[in-house]
């Protein structure tokens, strides 16, 4: 039966696993667990193709317990019930190890069905997920498990796996010489974006689809690698972590005035075709992070956003890049968001009191009888269109919500009003 190359070269020992040295390196926690052979409940979190399933299989192989494997994509409560029914049999006398792949696809009820048996130790759960477990996994399961984060592979690690795959392929093609040059290996690695499985699949397609040359050699160079590799893997899910992580990095790069990083994260969002999220984030940044330091930024961004929505991709990338660079290079101030958040906090937490009577609506018959508006001073009747009077409620009259940012524009305005009010 045909076995995909990625499955054929799957490591069976920790020494064969590439990458993840922060948890698998000598003396690291997961390494110690595997070497010790004592298994606890674990959750493996990370992108596809970085070794989660491989490491889970290695750990399970070391346990002297009955081993079950389910994929939450197509498993059901019935499958879990069948495992639970076997706990009282001879096979389950020492407990069982359940490896549950893609656990985020189990709903709350399905996850809860495991709790009793995880808690008393009859089931040891090793689960994997590509989504943030703190968002998608039932909190009671998380509290009984150790979460290990798997990182995207470095190019050097992916190339190690590719070299190992080539060696195995040579064994399968003993009557044919296979040569994969360094540029091809580098291309497979770079286009995989840290996904070892993706890189190996590309290599397998290249070798299986390339005929031997006149010298009987299957030669895989960069050109062949390009032909046999799909578009670069890009980890992006509109409802998942990658979506919010990229948006977060995008805004923080603009806030930090790093134009290069801002354009980089914009390119990721453009590649994903997520025009709505880009536009919304640019609009809020214009007020949240630039605000009164450069008020015109909001108008420029609105114009760029309107242009982008009218154009659509691919041309939309241009006005979006313009808006991004305007914001990244603009002076920064968070005085707007600080002011409104401070005011909202008072509304939530403080007895705000009544509106001063002289500010209340006086445009109706009988208003004067209620004292409405009688003591109100109309600012335009005074010099510089200003007259001192109380506007905040009595309970808040000493509050100061707006604190000018330390930038040229707000300083000029602050100095102007300071002079007028004095």
């Amino acid at each position: 039966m045909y076995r995909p190359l990625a499955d054929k070269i799957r490591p069976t020992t920790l020494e064969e696993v590439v990458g993840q040295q922060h948890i698998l390196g000598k003396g690291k926690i997961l390494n110690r667990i595997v070497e010790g052979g004592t298994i606890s409940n674990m959750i493996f979190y990370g992108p596809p193709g970085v070794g989660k399933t491989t490491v889970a299989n290695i750990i399970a192989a070391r346990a002297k317990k009955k081993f079950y494997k389910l994929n939450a994509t197509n498993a059901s409560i019935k499958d879990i019930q069948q495992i639970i029914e076997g706990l009282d049999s001879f096979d389950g006398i020492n407990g069982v190890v359940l490896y549950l792949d893609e656990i985020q696809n189990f709903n709350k009820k399905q996850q809860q069905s495991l709790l009793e048996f995880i808690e008393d130790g009859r089931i040891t759960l090793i689960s994997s997920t590509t989504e943030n477990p703190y968002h998608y996994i039932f909190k009671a399961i998380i509290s009984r498990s150790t979460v290990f984060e798997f990182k995207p592979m470095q190019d050097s690690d992916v190339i190690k796996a590719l070299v190992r795959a080539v060696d195995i392929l040579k064994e399968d093609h003993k009557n044919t010489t296979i040569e994969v040059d360094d540029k091809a290996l580098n291309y497979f690695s770079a286009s995989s974006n840290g996904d070892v499985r993706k890189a190996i699949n590309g290599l397998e397609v290249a070798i299986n689809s390339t005929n031997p040359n006149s010298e009987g050699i299957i030669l895989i160079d960069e050109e062949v690698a390009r032909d046999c590799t799909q578009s670069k893997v890009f980890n992006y899910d509109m409802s998942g972590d990658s979506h919010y992580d990229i948006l977060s990095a995008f805004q923080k790069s603009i806030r930090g005035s790093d134009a290069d990083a801002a354009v980089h994260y914009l390119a990721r969002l453009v590649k994903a075709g997520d025009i709505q999220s880009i536009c919304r984030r640019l609009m809020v940044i214009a007020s949240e992070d630039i605000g009164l330091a450069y008020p015109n930024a909001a108008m420029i961004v609105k114009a760029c956003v309107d242009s982008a929505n009218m154009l659509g991709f691919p041309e939309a990338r241009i006005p979006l890049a313009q808006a991004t660079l305007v914001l990244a290079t603009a002076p920064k101030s968070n005085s707007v968001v600080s002011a409104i958040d401070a005011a909202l906090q008072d509304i939530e937490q403080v007895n705000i009191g009544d509106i001063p009577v002289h500010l209340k609506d006086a445009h109706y018959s009988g208003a004067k009888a209620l004292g409405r508006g009688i003591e109100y001073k109309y600012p335009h009747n005074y010099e510089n269109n200003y007259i001192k009077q109380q506007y905040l409620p009595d309970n808040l009259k000493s509050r100061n919500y707006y604190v000018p940012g330390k930038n040229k524009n707000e300083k000029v305005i602050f100095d102007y009003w300071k002079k007028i009010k004095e």
Side-chain angles (χ1 to χ4, degrees):
M1 185 178 74
Y2 168 74
R3 286 178 66 198
L5 180 60
D7 185 58
K8 193 179 296 184
I9 76 160
R10 189 182 296 279
T12 56
T13 66
L14 279 188
E15 290 71 28
E16 294 174 338
V17 177
V18 297
Q20 311 307 333
Q21 290 304 296
H22 63 292
I23 52 176
L24 293 178
K26 200 67 177 174
K28 299 297 183 181
I29 179 64
L30 204 47
N31 183 292
R32 298 201 306 271
I33 289 174
V34 175
E35 294 298 326
T38 302
I39 303 177
S40 58
N41 300 312
M42 291 178 274
I43 299 171
F44 294 168
Y45 159 50
V50 295
K52 300 188 300 296
T53 301
T54 295
V55 174
N57 286 336
I58 292 172
I59 292 175
R62 297 288 298 267
K64 300 184 187 309
K65 296 183 179 184
K66 181 71 174 176
F67 178 63
Y68 295 92
K69 181 178 180 180
L70 295 177
N71 189 305
T73 304
N74 49 36
S76 64
I77 288 183
K78 184 178 179 181
D79 296 308
I80 297 174
Q81 289 172 339
Q82 289 176 345
I83 294 173
I84 291 170
E85 287 168 4
L87 292 175
D88 296 325
S89 69
F90 180 78
D91 284 342
I93 194 168
N94 292 322
V96 304
V97 173
L98 170 61
Y99 174 53
L100 186 56
D101 198 13
E102 303 294 345
I103 189 175
Q104 76 272 9
N105 291 311
F106 261 12
N107 60 36
K108 185 176 180 180
K109 184 177 180 181
Q110 289 171 308
Q111 293 184 36
Q112 283 178 316
S113 66
L114 294 167
L115 269 181
E116 175 188 347
F117 306 95
I118 291 173
E119 195 161 48
D120 64 20
R122 283 183 286 171
I123 287 180
T124 301
L125 178 68
I126 304 176
S127 57
S128 68
T129 175
T130 56
E131 301 294 345
N132 192 324
Y134 297 99
H135 296 166
Y136 290 90
I137 298 179
F138 189 42
K139 287 181 174 57
I141 289 181
I142 289 181
S143 71
R144 291 163 175 81
S145 307
T146 304
V147 178
F148 295 97
E149 183 175 4
F150 284 61
K151 308 287 188 181
M153 293 290 190
Q154 298 296 318
D155 284 348
S156 58
D157 293 325
V158 178
I159 289 174
K160 287 178 185 176
L162 287 168
V163 169
R164 182 166 176 266
V166 171
D167 292 339
I168 290 174
L169 282 169
K170 287 179 178 178
E171 289 292 318
D172 292 345
H173 296 74
K174 290 184 178 179
N175 298 325
T176 307
T177 300
I178 297 175
E179 292 183 5
V180 183
D181 67 24
D182 290 343
K183 288 185 177 179
L185 290 174
N186 288 331
Y187 186 82
F188 284 127
S189 175
S191 63
S192 73
N193 210 33
D195 185 335
V196 173
R197 184 167 50 242
K198 176 72 175 178
I200 291 172
N201 289 344
L203 173 66
E204 185 176 24
V205 169
I207 291 175
N208 290 341
S209 63
T210 302
N211 294 320
N213 60 18
S214 58
E215 298 175 355
I217 300 172
I218 295 178
L219 178 62
I220 309 299
D221 56 18
E222 185 177 5
E223 183 178 351
V224 174
R226 288 180 181 275
D227 288 341
C228 297
T229 304
Q230 301 172 3
S231 301
K232 185 174 182 180
V233 174
F234 185 65
N235 186 26
Y236 192 85
D237 179 355
M238 287 288 287
S239 61
D241 269 9
S242 57
H243 168 77
Y244 296 105
D245 286 346
I246 296 173
L247 284 173
S248 176
F250 179 54
Q251 179 163 1
K252 287 171 182 173
S253 297
I254 292 176
R255 181 183 297 150
S257 303
D258 190 325
D260 296 317
V263 170
H264 167 76
Y265 292 114
L266 171 66
R268 292 197 187 196
L269 294 164
V270 169
K271 178 72 173 176
D274 192 1
I275 192 168
Q276 183 178 7
S277 293
I278 300 171
C279 292
R280 291 182 69 251
R281 192 57 63 112
L282 286 170
M283 293 289 285
V284 75
I285 292 170
S287 295
E288 181 180 351
D289 294 306
I290 283 78
L292 297 180
Y294 182 36
N296 285 343
M299 292 184 288
I300 295 171
V301 168
K302 179 62 167 63
C304 289
V305 162
D306 288 345
S307 297
N309 283 313
M310 289 178 66
L311 290 168
F313 287 130
E315 288 83 358
R317 75 190 190 284
I318 302 169
L320 293 176
Q322 179 181 350
T324 297
L325 290 171
V326 165
L327 295 177
T329 58
K332 305 298 188 291
S333 172
N334 70 339
S335 60
V336 171
V337 67
S338 296
I340 185 61
D341 285 351
L344 286 169
Q345 186 176 19
D346 272 359
I347 289 174
E348 289 288 335
Q349 300 178 1
V350 176
N351 178 4
I352 56 178
D354 198 11
I355 297 172
V357 68
H358 62 279
L359 297 183
K360 292 185 176 182
D361 180 25
H363 294 85
Y364 58 91
S365 176
K368 286 187 177 181
L370 296 174
R372 302 292 195 263
I374 295 174
E375 296 182 7
Y376 175 64
K377 300 179 180 68
Y378 187 58
H380 296 295
N381 291 337
Y382 298 87
E383 186 179 359
N384 297 314
N385 303 305
Y386 173 78
I387 181 66
K388 185 175 181 179
Q389 61 185 326
Q390 181 181 329
Y391 290 96
L392 279 170
D394 288 341
N395 292 1
L396 302 173
K397 62 182 179 181
S398 61
R399 292 290 280 130
N400 182 23
Y401 297 116
Y402 171 58
V403 179
K406 296 178 180 179
N407 57 81
K408 182 178 179 181
N409 193 63
E410 286 185 88
K411 187 176 186 305
V412 169
I413 295 172
F414 176 78
D415 289 344
Y416 167 79
W417 281 110
K418 183 178 179 182
K419 181 179 179 182
I420 296 297
K421 292 179 179 181
E422 286 177 349

